[in-house]
């Protein structure tokens, strides 16, 4: 009976270690800076280094590709930070992520994409996985179990992205 329990615990240990390694792999391998979602790393650096007064634009690719930040800066006298990236991040992730960088006096203009009021409120699995792969610090911005449920089935995709980028 003792051998049986040793084998069971050994098997549980091996499975747990394997699963842990799979989940940690994306954070061990280096970030591929050429991926679009890796732009989040640069946006964090920009928002952290931009002094007040600031106007922060928050949204998806609708902002990332279509706003002339310099024009807004020239017209208002405020420093403009375009924090727009991808609608697939989901509205919850965007807001929670931005909260960490806000300072008193900031003006936030939030321009969500239509789908973010419904199915994309919690983000899409592939986009969240790509974002985590590009910038693991966004894991601290997960604020709902539905986001985790969107991410969890995509873990193998995350590993595939990381291995492909690493090779």
């Amino acid at each position: 009976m003792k051998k049986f329990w040793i084998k069971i615990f050994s098997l549980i240990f091996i499975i747990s270690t394997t699963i842990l390694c799979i989940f940690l792999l994306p954070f061990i391998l280096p970030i591929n800076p050429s991926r679009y979602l890796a732009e989040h790393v640069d946006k964090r650096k920009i928002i952290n280094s931009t002094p007040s007064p600031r106007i922060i634009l928050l949204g998806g690719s609708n902002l990332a590709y279509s706003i002339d930040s310099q024009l807004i800066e020239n017209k208002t006298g405020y420093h403009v930070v375009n924090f727009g990236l991808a609608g697939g991040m989901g509205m919850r992730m965007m807001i929670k992520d931005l909260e960490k960088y806000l300072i008193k006096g900031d003006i936030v203009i939030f321009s969500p994409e239509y789908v973010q009021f419904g199915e994309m409120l919690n983000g899409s699995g592939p986009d969240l996985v790509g974002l985590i792969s590009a910038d693991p610090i966004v894991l601290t911005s997960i604020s709902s179990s539905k986001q985790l449920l969107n991410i969890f089935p995509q873990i193998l995709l995350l590993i595939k992205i990381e291995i492909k980028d690493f090779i």
Side-chain angles (χ1 to χ4, degrees):
M1 187 69 165
K2 187 176 181 181
K3 286 183 180 182
F4 171 76
W5 286 111
I6 290 173
K7 287 181 181 182
I8 291 293
F9 284 121
S10 297
L11 182 63
I12 290 171
F13 176 77
I14 291 169
I15 291 171
S16 299
T17 305
T18 303
I19 290 172
L20 183 64
C21 288
I22 287 171
F23 280 101
L24 291 177
L25 185 65
F27 308 106
I28 296 169
L29 297 175
I31 294 169
N32 180 349
S34 66
R35 263 190 284 132
Y36 173 69
L37 292 172
E39 188 69 25
H40 190 269
V41 175
D42 294 333
K43 290 181 181 280
R44 271 193 302 109
K45 289 177 185 172
I46 291 168
I47 201 166
N48 281 328
S49 65
T50 302
S52 282
R54 307 186 301 183
I55 294 175
I56 301 168
L57 308 172
L58 181 64
S61 58
N62 60 329
L63 290 179
Y65 290 117
S66 64
I67 297 295
D68 185 347
S69 298
Q70 189 62 51
L71 178 66
I72 296 171
E73 201 165 298
N74 292 343
K75 296 287 185 181
T76 64
Y78 282 72
H79 302 286
V80 176
V81 178
N82 188 339
F83 213 62
L85 189 59
M89 289 173 63
M91 199 181 315
R92 285 185 199 274
M93 173 72 81
M94 288 180 179
I95 293 169
K96 186 73 173 171
D97 189 44
L98 179 62
E99 284 177 350
K100 297 179 276 197
Y101 308 107
L102 292 176
I103 54 177
K104 187 174 179 157
D106 283 348
I107 297 171
V108 178
I109 299 174
F110 186 33
S111 178
E113 295 176 5
Y114 179 76
V115 294
Q116 290 178 313
F117 291 101
E119 70 226 30
M120 289 289 216
L121 174 67
N122 294 299
S124 76
D127 283 339
L128 289 172
V129 161
L131 184 62
I132 292 166
S133 170
D135 192 8
I137 199 163
V138 297
L139 279 171
T140 62
S141 299
I142 292 175
S143 60
S144 82
S145 59
K146 289 185 180 181
Q147 289 171 305
L148 289 174
L149 290 174
N150 286 346
I151 293 168
F152 189 74
Q154 303 293 325
I155 292 296
L156 291 178
L157 173 64
L158 179 58
I159 293 165
K160 182 180 172 185
I161 291 169
E162 287 297 321
I163 290 172
K164 182 181 170 194
D165 286 346
F166 186 70
I167 294 176

